[in-house]
Amino acid sequence: MRGGGLADAYSMYKRASTKDQFTDYEDREENLDRTENGVWKEIGNPSWKRPLPHILVAIISSLLFGYHLGVVNDTLESMSLDLDFSGSTLAEGLVVSTCLGGALLGSIFSGWIADGVGRRRGFQLCALPMIIGASMSAATSTLGVMLLGRLFVGIGMGLGPAVAALYVAEVSPAFVRGTYGSFTQIATCLGLLGSLLIGIPAKDTAGWWRVCFWISTIPAALLAVLMEFCAESPHWLLKLSKQKLVYYYGASMQRGRIDLAEEELEKLMGASHVKYAIAEMSKTDKGDEVDNVRFGELLYGRHFKVVFIGSALFALQQLSGINAVFYFSSTVFKKAGVPTDTANTCVGIVNLTGSIIAMMLMDRLGRKVLLIGSFLGMAVATGLQVAAAISFIPSFAVLYLSVGGTLLYVLAFSLGAGPVPSLLLSEIFPGRIRAKAMALCMAAHWVINFLVGLLFLPMLEHLGPQIVYAVFAGFCLFAVAFVKKNVVETKGKTLQEIEFALLPSH
């Protein structure tokens, strides 16, 4: 797997059209060093191995995210009996939705936390409410404490994915950033699958649901401890060096912060790449602009277009019906005579398989191709679901269409619409607004997620599956057109190249 170098002169970063700039970057040279006039130039790709341990620690947050998404699936029934809310659909709904509400809160503040205390501390602050919340849920004997614990866990869930996307994008070499960015989705799938498998004994073993919650505290504690030994994001350190702050971990001068960035870069890339990387990152740091990012600037300022594209991608991801398909998959498989546990495991395996394939293709085919192919595949899959709902279709054909459509949909989603948006957004947002823009888009994601979950069953009851799945197919096709028109390919480009190509001149 190869990646290109950088342009050999700063003049190549003139704000020409996006198409022209990316065309220029395709022709860049590879093995460059320092020129006679002192301009630092590329000396080849850094090792992909150096940042890998740091990324593997970071994606524990994604593993926890997936685990807590699925942990109540098999445990809710036994939990309701022990906590005396069996038969109350309101209480059962609160156990699920309280976590989603917490995730919305966590995502809203994730950008300010990541910029305020750094990416590493952001991960540790993500782990803390997960440990506290899971422990409360595991030890409680009342519904109220369970809901409070779920709220704490949700806050960690909202904070983790945003910080993970930022961190992985900022510490990964350009030529493998797509591959490493896919790790977050794979970890989420592993967490979800793990929660389903661990939860299987809950129906037959008294109190097993408590074990399921206790188990989640182990990776959360590992995340908090191991992150202490991981590198901080050099992008954040350089950004901090431009701010009017007095101290950072005892370093009181701007030079001290730049030295810290160089030390972290040496851990991540090797000593031979440090000076060039610092020079390139400094080009995008406008010292007089770094201090404050106003919320309104993201909504109607010079960055509105890129923030709108990011929010729209997350919205279309949810409006394509992924959570509804996951929710309805148990019913589909049950009609085919497949037990719920087996059905959930099959869906989880397909999701994981697609995510692994996406990881292998991300830096070969690119983000845009995977997104378009993914949404097209999802449209075809929902079309099969629509066909299965037609009355004159034979019953045996209905089973094949519905089960096949569900599995095809999950596979298509995991190939692009699942892993690409968070990776792409962390790439296309300029460094100055990256964390806060990610927070805004993640918040939009959770709001749309909640609305789709709220409206799906009433729509299914009043309109029927044929119309509902047709609506989802329509959103998938609209997403294809939207991606073709608005998304720029970022494969193999450094974050600085992407920023200079996309940032408006004023």
Side-chain angles (χ1 to χ4, degrees), residues 151-168:
L151 179 66
F152 276 118
V153 166
I155 291 172
M157 288 173 62
L159 179 57
V163 179
L166 291 171
Y167 186 80
V168 172

Side-chain angles (χ1 to χ4, degrees), residues 385-416:
Q385 298 283 8
V386 171
I390 297 175
S391 58
F392 58 80
I393 297 292
S395 58
F396 73 91
V398 169
L399 291 177
Y400 284 114
L401 288 172
S402 57
V403 172
T406 298
L407 294 178
L408 176 61
Y409 184 98
V410 172
L411 178 63
F413 176 84
S414 63
L415 287 172

Side-chain angles (χ1 to χ4, degrees), residues 53-65 68 119-131 156-157 159-161 163-164 167 216-230:
H54 307 268
I55 290 170
L56 290 178
V57 173
I59 63 172
I60 295 176
S61 63
S62 300
L63 181 80
L64 286 163
F65 176 81
H68 284 291
R119 308 332 187 204
R120 288 196 311 138
R121 296 290 180 254
F123 280 117
Q124 291 171 326
L125 288 176
C126 153
L128 184 61
M130 285 189 166
I131 295 171
M157 288 173 62
L159 179 57
V163 179
Y167 186 80
S216 69
T217 62
I218 298 173
L222 284 174
L223 174 63
V225 173
L226 294 178
M227 191 49 66
E228 194 66 29
F229 304 97
C230 291

